[in-house]
Amino acid sequence: MAESWANSGSRRAGGSDLYLDLGGTGSVRARLMGALREVIQSGRLAPGTRLPPYRALALDLGIARNTVAQAYAELAEEGWLTARQGSGTSVARRAAPLETGPAHGPVRRTPRRVLYDLAPSSPDAAAFPRGVWLTSARRALAAAPTEAFGVGDPRGRIELRQALADYLARARGVRAEPGRIVVCAGFASALRLLRQVLEGAIAVESYGLDFHRSILSEAGPATVPLTVDADGARVDELSATDACAVLLTPAHQYPTGGPLRPERRAAVVDWARAMGAIVLEDDYDGEFRYDRDPVGAVQGLDPDHVVYLSSASKSLSPALRLGWMVLPGRLVERVVEAKGPRETWSGVVDQLTLADFLSSGSHERHLRRMRKIYRRRRDQLTATLARQAPHIRVSGIAAGLHAVLDLPPGTEEAALRAARRLGLALDGLGAYRHPAGAMPPRDGLVIGYGTPPEHLFTTALDALCLALPAQPQTVEGR
């Protein structure tokens, strides 16, 4: 291994020759960090100077790239470096050269920075179809009647409700008509409206989003958790509750990743019919199934007892703030009344644009393209783990924009701390567990593979593998 760049010739960083002395004692990582601090303090690396990618620096120095990745991450945490997705790693603007004179005290630590975003639930923002969306916007605005820009229908624009009825029937097996569809500002908005019209306790899956549980508890009793296993929610437990409704993610349980099995789909509909209850079907990523064709919506089994809920957040962008409900007829007017002032309605221009985007076939073309991208990323995730961490299992079906990595018991918190040190944003499975659930805790990481830009995805997976617990050592002869 080369001890310094000076011994192995001139190298470039930010367009200037830079020599790093890795002499001294201690680990290679500690010596590299010390050398980088020294060139920043001395002014040889000015604030804003971009550093080499850690793979290139590792090759130049003859050291492991993981060592460079850890050194960069720790120096960013200390405030010496800054790192942003798509911009690489640079010397921090506040990292001024060391001045002579009295000491200025210890280096101030700054909050940890996110180098790689593997948090779940978001699509690839760079893949938003700007050009095609703009074409739909122009076409929709040109065709829109004058009354579209006056006081509108709280159910949403008829153009969008008609386009949604056609698309959902074809692609998701939803039995819909425009009069039963209400457009809203995303899934959370829909949930708040439904909470206002449903009287009584609402059952939820024992693993799910805590802010959804909070919404359902704001104006009513606490939510009732249902056990989740590999076959989805244990809907047989509903008979022992006084719930008036149940919130489910049947196509792809969030976050554990299993589908609701056919017999349970039928059973929950039977329960709703017998009890006069409502099933709230969260179809958040039902279009993204990679091992087979997507499974149709539960709503198709009984439109009078199932509310179908979805949005544009996963298929297009959460920035659009567009969601929709397909409601049983008896709930439509009550939900519209609960909608209240016009200021809470979704924007007309985005509604008209999405209507054209759906009707023109652009939406389905976009989905076909994104399925290929996300399937490739999921396959890359599983292949990387098979090479670098074969003891870590990916659970759940091949679908959606996230995967769960099962961890050995008692290792989740340590893995999360290691991830933060490496600049990784991701979630632990424990954060999704219902506080009143009877299920034993399960250790795992929830990894989103939709968010990172394409050029950083491989690097993000390498960093992820560094954060995972090591394979347990086996005792010879046992």
Side-chain angles (χ1 to χ4, degrees):
M1 182 189 75
E3 286 299 315
S4 71
W5 284 6
N7 290 338
S8 60
S10 171
R11 298 293 187 269
R12 294 208 168 257
S16 302
D17 288 338
L18 172 67
Y19 302 95
L20 288 179
D21 182 3
L22 299 190
T25 59
S27 67
V28 176
R29 178 179 56 79
R31 283 183 280 146
L32 174 58
M33 290 175 63
L36 286 169
R37 288 194 195 99
E38 189 279 326
V39 295
I40 294 171
Q41 287 178 328
S42 67
R44 289 165 54 203
L45 276 184
T49 301
R50 185 170 179 175
L51 296 181
Y54 69 71
R55 289 173 180 269
L57 182 56
L59 181 63
D60 282 341
L61 294 177
I63 63 178
R65 64 178 183 269
N66 291 345
T67 300
V68 180
Q70 291 173 332
Y72 276 17
E74 290 194 39
L75 289 172
E77 183 180 337
E78 292 178 0
W80 295 100
L81 305 177
T82 60
R84 294 183 177 87
Q85 290 187 357
S87 301
T89 304
S90 305
V91 177
R93 294 288 177 182
R94 60 190 168 280
L98 185 66
E99 298 178 358
T100 59
H104 294 283
V107 176
R108 296 182 63 187
R109 298 175 70 85
T110 58
R112 292 183 175 90
R113 297 180 180 275
V114 174
L115 307 183
Y116 311 108
D117 189 355
L118 291 175
S121 300
S122 294
D124 182 356
F128 183 81
R130 301 186 192 201
V132 184
W133 185 261
L134 182 59
T135 299
S136 283
R138 287 172 172 159
R139 195 159 50 216
L141 287 172
T146 301
E147 55 86 15
F149 303 100
V151 177
D153 188 332
R155 293 174 298 176
R157 286 298 306 173
I158 184 60
E159 296 92 339
L160 178 55
R161 290 186 286 120
Q162 182 62 63
L164 284 169
D166 294 343
Y167 168 73
L168 294 174
R170 183 175 66 256
R172 303 297 299 124
V174 172
R175 293 160 63 185
E177 56 188 44
R180 287 192 175 197
I181 296 176
V182 174
V183 177
C184 52
F187 179 82
S189 174
L191 215 54
R192 286 190 176 92
L193 292 171
L194 289 164
R195 175 67 276 187
Q196 293 179 55
V197 303
L198 295 174
E199 299 176 358
I202 297 179
V204 297
E205 295 159 330
S206 57
Y207 277 88
L209 288 168
D210 59 350
F211 80 90
H212 288 172
R213 296 194 292 263
S214 297
I215 291 171
L216 294 177
S217 300
E218 283 174 0
T223 54
V224 180
L226 302 177
T227 302
V228 170
D229 58 26
D231 294 333
R234 287 280 306 276
V235 297
D236 58 301
E237 295 176 356
L238 285 167
S239 60
T241 74
D242 59 353
C244 70
V246 58
L247 174 63
L248 299 174
T249 50
H252 187 212
Q253 202 285 322
Y254 191 82
T256 62
L260 191 65
R261 293 301 180 189
E263 59 272 17
R264 295 189 183 181
R265 292 160 67 96
V268 76
V269 169
D270 289 343
W271 167 81
R273 287 172 176 168
M275 303 302 296
I278 294 291
V279 178
L280 308 179
E281 180 177 14
D282 179 5
D283 194 34
Y284 68 99
D285 67 357
E287 294 119 332
F288 295 111
R289 182 82 185 250
Y290 312 127
D291 58 345
R292 52 162 293 171
D293 291 336
V295 176
V298 173
Q299 190 268 1
L301 298 177
D302 191 336
D304 290 329
H305 289 90
V306 181
V307 176
Y308 177 88
L309 300 132
S310 192
S311 75
S313 293
K314 304 295 184 296
S315 60
L316 284 166
S317 168
L320 293 177
R321 308 310 308 146
L322 281 172
W324 42 89
M325 296 174 269
V326 182
L327 296 158
R330 67 184 184 279
L331 291 183
V332 174
E333 291 306 319
R334 295 173 63 190
V335 168
V336 168
E337 183 179 353
K339 243 188 144 181
R342 291 193 298 272
E343 285 74 13
T344 64
W345 303 354
S346 300
V348 165
V349 173
D350 282 343
Q351 290 188 56
L352 292 171
T353 303
L354 180 58
D356 182 272
F357 195 75
L358 287 163
S359 301
S360 66
S362 297
H363 184 255
E364 288 169 89
R365 287 190 291 271
H366 174 71
L367 287 178
R368 285 195 293 270
R369 181 170 72 92
M370 297 314 298
R371 283 191 197 105
K372 293 178 182 178
I373 292 173
Y374 295 143
R375 177 172 188 166
R376 184 175 70 246
R377 290 189 180 190
R378 184 184 175 92
D379 289 348
Q380 186 178 347
L381 168 64
T382 57
T384 300
L385 290 170
R387 290 193 309 270
Q388 300 188 36
H391 58 293
I392 302 297
R393 187 178 71 93
V394 180
S395 63
I397 59 174
L401 280 67
H402 78 279
V404 171
L405 310 189
D406 288 330
L407 301 182
T411 62
E412 181 179 310
E413 286 302 319
L416 289 172
R417 289 194 297 270
R420 287 193 293 269
R421 287 195 297 270
L422 292 166
L424 281 162
L426 47 80
D427 288 348
L429 191 56
Y432 295 88
R433 185 171 178 269
H434 196 296
M439 292 181 64
R442 172 183 167 190
D443 286 73
L445 298 178
V446 186
I447 305 300
Y449 45 81
T451 306
E454 196 69 27
H455 68 284
L456 284 179
F457 190 59
T458 297
T459 306
L461 294 184
D462 288 341
L464 169 64
C465 289
L466 291 175
L468 297 174
Q471 186 167 10
Q473 297 295 317
T474 57
V475 179
E476 187 174 353
R478 292 189 180 180

